[in-house]
């Protein structure tokens, strides 16, 4: 499988965008934890229609609009459990937050830590909003791209103070 890659200069750091003919595979901050993890096949720097859609999505997001993850053709690769967690992440409304425990409860999973592991491996930074997940006490726990980026994203969305517990 050929994977197409493009760099996107966001206000909080460069992003690596990767797609295939199946859809968007990943959006990672350069150097973040799990950077481009799970990619197989040939990786080429080239234009692709899915990457153009992703750039448009990100441009709208950083301009203060509220594009939804469903606006893009997603083709992420992960375990069944990771896919279930990522699907729940995609449902967190713009400008709101939830907790690892609340996600675990929604998924009927006894381990918020297991959910946290899947959240941390989300390959679609910003698009699938893992930055909207907080610790049980509302604390800003880990973010693969760095806590400074998580704080920026939450502030960009209006502070992320509304929780959907």
């Amino acid at each position: 499988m050929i994977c197409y890659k493009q760099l996107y200069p966001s206000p909080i750091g460069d992003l690596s965008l990767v797609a295939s003919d199946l859809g968007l595979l990943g959006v990672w901050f350069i150097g973040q934890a799990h950077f481009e993890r799970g990619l197989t096949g040939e990786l080429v720097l080239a234009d692709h229609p899915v990457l153009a859609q992703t750039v448009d999505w990100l441009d709208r997001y950083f301009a203060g609009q509220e594009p939804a993850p469903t606006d893009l053709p997603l083709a992420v690769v992960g375990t069944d459990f990771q896919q279930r967690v990522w699907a729940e992440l995609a449902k967190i409304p713009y400008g709101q937050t939830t907790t690892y425990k609340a996600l675990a409860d929604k998924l009927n999973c006894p381990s918020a830590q297991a959910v946290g592991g899947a959240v941390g491996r989300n390959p679609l930074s910003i698009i699938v909003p893992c930055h909207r997940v907080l610790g049980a006490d509302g604390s800003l726990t880990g973010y693969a791209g760095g806590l400074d980026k998580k704080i920026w994203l939450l502030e960009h969305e209006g502070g992320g103070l509304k929780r959907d517990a």
Side-chain angles (χ1 to χ4, degrees):
M1 172 172 69
I2 297 176
C3 297
Y4 304 91
K5 178 176 177 170
Q6 179 176 342
L7 296 180
Y8 177 86
S10 88
I12 52 174
D14 290 344
L15 296 167
S16 172
L17 315 179
V18 179
S20 72
D21 290 332
L22 300 175
L24 185 63
L25 298 169
V27 173
W28 296 271
F29 287 101
I30 302 298
Q32 78 169 57
H34 311 293
F35 180 73
E36 295 183 355
R37 183 176 183 188
L39 294 179
T40 58
E42 184 182 354
L43 187 62
V44 296
L45 288 173
D47 292 332
H48 188 276
V50 173
L51 295 177
Q53 287 179 276
T54 305
V55 166
D56 177 65
W57 193 103
L58 290 165
D59 285 347
R60 288 185 290 131
Y61 175 83
F62 287 114
Q65 297 176 28
E66 302 177 16
T70 53
D71 292 347
L72 293 170
L74 306 180
V76 293
V77 177
T79 66
D80 288 343
F81 179 70
Q82 288 171 334
Q83 295 281 354
R84 287 179 48 224
V85 171
W86 300 337
E88 283 301 315
L89 291 176
K91 295 176 187 176
I92 304 169
Y94 183 98
Q96 295 187 29
T97 59
T98 191
T99 65
Y100 295 100
K101 181 177 180 342
L103 283 174
D105 291 346
K106 285 181 182 178
L107 293 163
N108 294 317
C109 175
S111 173
Q113 287 181 322
V115 168
V119 169
R121 287 172 179 74
N122 168 29
L124 293 169
S125 295
I126 305 171
I127 308 288
V128 173
C130 53
H131 60 277
R132 297 178 188 154
V133 183
L134 307 175
D137 61 357
S139 61
L140 294 172
T141 58
Y143 184 64
L147 283 181
D148 59 326
K149 291 175 178 62
K150 182 172 189 164
I151 292 166
W152 191 98
L153 292 166
L154 290 172
E155 288 176 349
H156 174 71
E157 294 181 6
L161 302 173
K162 299 178 229 163
R163 297 209 355 234
D164 77 341

